[in-house]
Amino acid sequence: FTAQANEPPAASFATLDTRNSHAVLDFDAAADESAVFRGVISSGYGGGGVNVRLIWAATSATSGTCRWAVAWERIPAGTLDIDADSFATANTTGATADATSGETTETTIAFANGAEMDSLAVGEMFRLRVTRDADGTSGTDDMTGDAELLAVVVTEQ
């Protein structure tokens, strides 16, 4: 998924921006903000766990930890009311900003098959919510300035 694929939530969303003509989503340092991406589990999915790789850069910081949280929402045909969110519990990790402003950092969050992935199955639609936990609820986030998300890559483990 790229920044342009974001389907932002109604409030507290990451904002679309550019950096040297690269589309990015800016996640603020002072408040939790999210981006949401929609997809379908491929017919080639073997039923194992997955890794979600975030490719991002810091707007200006060259040190500090950025705290990321990622959560899955399964959207099975005919059985989910899409008027309300039903994301599974997020998995989180802290990642250190690159020492050179503008260089990207890759942060991977692993998910086990089953509840961590909201029990997704082959062919089902899903949403993936990526949040910067700026207030540090799930761990330290002391990186100053925005985190700029360029892409999200999902691969089976």
Side-chain angles (χ1 to χ4, degrees), residues 67-82:
R67 174 66 52 178
W68 293 103
V70 176
W72 292 86
E73 179 187 50
R74 178 178 173 231
I75 306 173
T79 60
L80 180 71
D81 180 357
I82 62 171

Side-chain angles (χ1 to χ4, degrees), residues 41 45 47-48 50 71-76 79 86-89 111-127:
I41 293 292
Y45 173 60
V50 299
W72 292 86
E73 179 187 50
R74 178 178 173 231
I75 306 173
T79 60
S86 63
F87 287 94
T89 302
F111 290 83
N113 178 16
E116 287 187 3
M117 295 175 50
D118 205 18
S119 300
L120 280 167
V122 169
E124 290 184 326
M125 189 168 29
F126 66 88
R127 292 194 305 167

Side-chain angles (χ1 to χ4, degrees), residues 24-35:
V24 298
L25 291 170
D26 285 342
F27 290 78
D28 194 72
D32 292 2
E33 292 180 335
S34 298

Side-chain angles (χ1 to χ4, degrees), residues 36-109:
V36 178
F37 304 95
R38 178 183 311 274
V40 175
I41 293 292
S42 162
S43 60
Y45 173 60
V50 299
N51 290 323
V52 176
R53 184 169 42 110
L54 308 176
I55 303 170
W56 63 282
T59 295
S60 57
T62 56
S63 64
T65 299
C66 180
R67 174 66 52 178
W68 293 103
V70 176
W72 292 86
E73 179 187 50
R74 178 178 173 231
I75 306 173
T79 60
L80 180 71
D81 180 357
I82 62 171
D83 289 331
D85 291 339
S86 63
F87 287 94
T89 302
N91 285 5
T92 66
T93 194
T96 303
D98 193 273
T100 303
S101 180
E103 290 197 10
T104 59
T105 300
E106 295 189 8
T107 302
T108 300
I109 302 177

